[in-house]
Amino acid sequence: VFLELDTQGSELDILQGSDHLLTTSILGLQVEVEFFPLYKNQPLFSDVDHYLRPKGFDLFDLSRYRLRRSYIKTRGQLLWGHAIYLKDVHQMKKGRLAKFLTLAAIASYFGFEDYALEVLIFLMENGADFESDETTKRLRPIVDSFSDSFSQPSQRGIQRLRKKKHCWRVSPREDHVYFIKD
């Protein structure tokens, strides 16, 4: 369900060989990407990104590592990083409820609680029946455990979602979007 690749420049080859899994099973991945060639004929970030986006993955985070050529305090040149991609819930095929809840859990684990809530709201707006699905009842303790680490605003969102024993609901309201400086 989650794939982590750090294979010294062969990440794109591995992703291309995992095409079927990317479309059917994998909900998130962390891929080492380079912005400057460190290995002979290696694909760069733009190649990996160009391959993953049509498969329904969105870039959520990017750690950055730089090269400083001297002891002078400078930013240095961006060389490589780790890119975190998550499946776009709006591009996922309708299917098992557990798959969507797993995506929400992965998003929360990596600190994207806002996206975890978006996934849950998407499910409710598309008629997910939380009351009758046995998988959801088994996953509820997992959702409870990861949501305890949510920020305070996200915890309030989760509380609004928990109106019934095995059901999450949110009151209709306008969506709010905030831009933050990294």
Side-chain angles (χ1 to χ4, degrees):
V1 175
F2 189 85
L3 178 66
E4 183 176 350
L5 294 174
D6 186 348
T7 56
Q8 313 308 308
S10 62
E11 288 83 4
L12 184 58
D13 290 335
I14 293 169
L15 290 171
Q16 289 169 336
S18 306
D19 188 62
H20 177 70
L21 292 174
L22 288 172
T23 57
T24 60
S25 303
I26 297 174
L27 299 173
L29 37 103
Q30 179 174 311
V31 184
E32 182 184 60
V33 292
E34 282 78 25
F35 298 95
F36 182 85
L38 301 175
Y39 309 104
K40 188 175 182 179
N41 298 321
Q42 80 172 94
L44 299 177
F45 167 75
S46 59
D47 302 308
V48 172
D49 189 66
H50 183 72
Y51 182 75
L52 288 173
R53 289 198 184 259
K55 305 277 183 225
F57 289 92
D58 290 329
L59 178 66
F60 269 76
D61 201 8
L62 181 63
S63 64
R64 299 172 311 273
Y65 297 87
R66 300 173 182 273
L67 170 68
R68 206 180 277 168
R69 290 180 173 80
S70 69
Y71 293 104
I72 300 171
K73 188 172 183 173
T74 179
R75 287 184 58 144
Q77 179 182 2
L78 180 61
L79 287 185
W80 62 278
H82 291 108
I84 295 179
Y85 286 88
L86 297 177
K87 200 72 145 170
D88 180 352
V89 69
H90 301 283
Q91 291 187 28
M92 288 174 61
K93 293 179 182 175
K94 293 195 180 198
R96 295 183 46 162
L97 187 58
K99 192 174 200 175
F100 289 89
L101 292 175
T102 302
L103 176 60
I106 291 170
S108 175
Y109 176 81
F110 283 99
F112 307 115
E113 293 114 355
D114 58 326
Y115 188 58
L117 288 173
E118 181 180 337
V119 171
L120 296 175
I121 292 167
F122 174 84
L123 284 172
M124 290 179 297
E125 290 174 349
N126 286 279
D129 184 2
F130 289 90
E131 287 293 332
S132 64
D133 190 287
E134 288 300 315
T135 304
T136 303
K137 292 176 184 176
R138 289 194 309 269
L139 286 174
R140 178 153 178 98
I142 296 168
V143 173
D144 288 343
S145 68
F146 78 71
S147 67
D148 289 341
S149 64
F150 279 0
S151 63
Q152 287 299 318
S154 294
Q155 282 182 10
R156 286 192 297 275
I158 287 287
Q159 292 306 316
R160 282 197 310 270
L161 291 171
R162 293 181 181 148
K163 296 292 184 187
K164 293 186 178 179
K165 186 175 181 184
H166 297 291
C167 181
W168 293 282
R169 293 185 186 252
V170 123
S171 56
R173 62 176 179 80
E174 288 184 354
D175 288 332
H176 296 282
V177 178
Y178 300 94
F179 293 95
I180 54 174
K181 184 178 182 211
D182 187 11

